[in-house]
Structures are given as C-alpha cells and as structure tokens.
Amino acid sequence: MVSLLIQYAYAPLLLVGVNGAGIVLAGAGASKAWLLALLAVAVTASFMAERLLPYAVEWNSPMADRRRDVAHAFVNETLILASVASLPLLAGLVTAVDVWPSSWPFVLQVLLAVLVADAGITLVHFASHKVGLLWRFHAVHHSVKRFYGFNGLMKHPVHQSVELAVGVAPLLVIGMPVDVAAALALAVAVQLLLQHSNADYRVGPLRSVLSLNEGHRFHHLKWAGVGDVNFGLFTLMWDRMLGTYSFDPGRRFSTRDLGIAAKPGYPSEYLAQLSEPFRRRGACTAETDGR
C-alpha cells in the first residue's frame, strides 16, 4: 500500500498539493514565510519517498557529497529567495511596459510565468551544452555520482544566476507581480526536487509531457552526446521542438552512468567546484569535453 501511494500519489502531492497551496497563499497576499514552510514540506516528502521506494538503493547513501550538496542547496535556494525579495526594486528598474494580465485568475498568471520561465531556462540549459563558457559552469551539475532530490540545486551559483536571469527577465519586462514571482520560485524548487528524485514514482503518459525524473535521467548520461537530450525544466515541449527529446522505457540507470566521462576526477568539494570553472581556461563544450 505504501509503495502504491508513493508511486502514484507522490508526484501529484508536490505538483498539485504543494504548488497549489503556494498559489492559494500567494494569491491571498500571505507572508512570504509560507514559501519556506512549503519548501520544507516538499523536501521532507522528497526524502521520505526516496527512502521508502527508491529507484536505486545505492543512491540513498552519501558518496562523500552530503555537506557539499547541502551547501549548494542552501546557497542556491537563498539566491532564489533573495531574487523574490528584490523583485519590487528590480521591477522598477526593468519593467518596460506594464502589460501583465492582472485581471486573469491568479492561477493562470502563475501558469503563464511557469511557461515563460520554462522557455528561457530550457534554452539556457541547451546553450550550456554547446557554449564552452557556459558548460564550464554547468559541468558542476553534471559531476553528480548519484541521482536524488538535492541534485536539482547542485549548481554553480553563476550558472543558476544566468538561468534565472534569462528565465525571469521577460516576465519582469512586462510587470510580473511579486506574489506571482513567489509562487514561481516555489514551483521551480519543487520541480527540481521531482526532476532529480530517486523515488520510483509514476506519472503515466505525462512522462512524455512533463520534465520529471524518468526522462531527466537520460539527460545525465555521461557518455559524449547521448546526454544532450531532455533539457526542459517544467515541460518537454521545447525538447520536442529542438529535436532533443529522448526516452527508452526499458533503460535502467546506475552510478556508473552518471558524471563526466572524460573527467572522472572532477572536484567533489564545494569550494573546489566553485573555483573549477575559473581554473579551466580551454573552451570546451559538453561534446568536446567527452561527457
């Protein structure tokens, strides 16, 4: 019974339950402290599901990465929250034409923000596998040796900042309200948890529409070229347009499939990962780097 609940109720709990609660509270103008509370619920549910029904048991055990991953998660989530807090100032500086559809139901405003951010972040992600400078920062994320919820926030802060800037800039230009931005920030965090989750959950046919863990595992294959698929953050529609969608229902993954093939000794400590992109001067992409 527990396994069935996790398989079929875990994803809806986060996608609909946690995000839905965030939309309701944000739409009502509640304190932004709710963002942290709901994020804590999502993280707790993520770790419980991974331990009760893991896709790979080995991925539940730390691989000398626990403190590093907590540091990445803390720094990067703080950046997201700081971005929301600074939105009133940013909006005053960046808004070019205030045409935000404020008359729409709040849930549709959040959906619009999700779709626009999905486009920008997905395209930056795609470019990060093609442009050497971006790849050097993005490589931090691909150095993981196991696949679990916190991997989603294991990013170089420079790369996360670029993704957020491109994803959110169009929304700021047209006057996105702070409450919508708060709901969007929660949706991004929840999506990253689900996308990298070690929980063996199921979403049926939606796995070909939503960018969740079943499809995103293919993106983390370390062999050159084969991981250049499924770039989407929220959806896979941009991958279908770019011709980068891939899925094989019979494929199983293990630790040996993850990482950067040409750099098995990629730094694993937090501070070393922060400095690595600046230390490597040669221009290389994910393809020329042998991943």
Side-chain angles (χ1 to χ4, degrees), residues 191-204:
Q191 188 68 16
L192 291 173
L193 284 171
L194 283 167
Q195 193 177 65
H196 296 83
S197 177
N198 186 31
D200 196 16
Y201 66 83
R202 302 282 191 274
V203 294

Side-chain angles (χ1 to χ4, degrees), residues 65-73 146 148 150-151 154:
D65 55 9
R66 177 174 289 169
R67 288 189 300 175
R68 177 203 70 196
D69 291 354
V70 169
H72 275 295
R146 60 182 178 129
Y148 78 117
F150 262 17
N151 287 159
M154 192 194 140

Side-chain angles (χ1 to χ4, degrees), residues 1 155 188 227 229 264:
M1 178 61 73
K155 300 181 179 184
V188 168
V229 297

Side-chain angles (χ1 to χ4, degrees), residues 118-139:
D118 185 45
I121 292 173
T122 298
L123 293 176
V124 169
H125 193 181
F126 176 80
S128 297
H129 283 244
K130 308 299 179 182
V131 179
L133 178 60
L134 289 174
W135 168 250
R136 291 206 297 272
F137 289 98
H138 185 50

Side-chain angles (χ1 to χ4, degrees), residues 104-226:
W104 289 12
F106 190 76
V107 64
L108 293 183
Q109 294 182 48
V110 175
L111 180 59
L112 172 63
V114 165
L115 292 175
V116 172
D118 185 45
I121 292 173
T122 298
L123 293 176
V124 169
H125 193 181
F126 176 80
S128 297
H129 283 244
K130 308 299 179 182
V131 179
L133 178 60
L134 289 174
W135 168 250
R136 291 206 297 272
F137 289 98
H138 185 50
V140 170
H141 182 66
H142 279 273
S143 69
V144 298
K145 298 299 175 64
R146 60 182 178 129
F147 205 76
Y148 78 117
F150 262 17
N151 287 159
L153 286 169
M154 192 194 140
K155 300 181 179 184
H156 197 289
V158 170
H159 192 267
Q160 168 152 305
S161 297
V162 172
E163 283 189 330
L164 286 175
V166 175
V168 174
L171 297 167
L172 291 177
V173 168
I174 62 173
M176 177 178 62
V178 175
D179 290 336
V180 174
L184 173 62
L186 177 64
V188 168
V190 167
Q191 188 68 16
L192 291 173
L193 284 171
L194 283 167
Q195 193 177 65
H196 296 83
S197 177
N198 186 31
D200 196 16
Y201 66 83
R202 302 282 191 274
V203 294
L206 288 176
R207 70 186 181 191
S208 63
V209 178
L210 301 178
S211 185
L212 297 172
N213 65 353
E214 285 187 90
H216 196 65
R217 292 186 191 113
F218 290 88
H219 179 72
H220 278 266
L221 283 168
K222 67 182 178 182
W223 317 114
V226 297

Side-chain angles (χ1 to χ4, degrees), residues 83 127 186 230:
S83 298
L186 177 64
N230 302 350

Side-chain angles (χ1 to χ4, degrees), residues 129-130 135 224-226 228 284-291:
H129 283 244
K130 308 299 179 182
W135 168 250
V226 297
D228 289 341
C284 57
T285 65
E287 293 176 354
T288 60
D289 205 23
R291 187 191 54 70

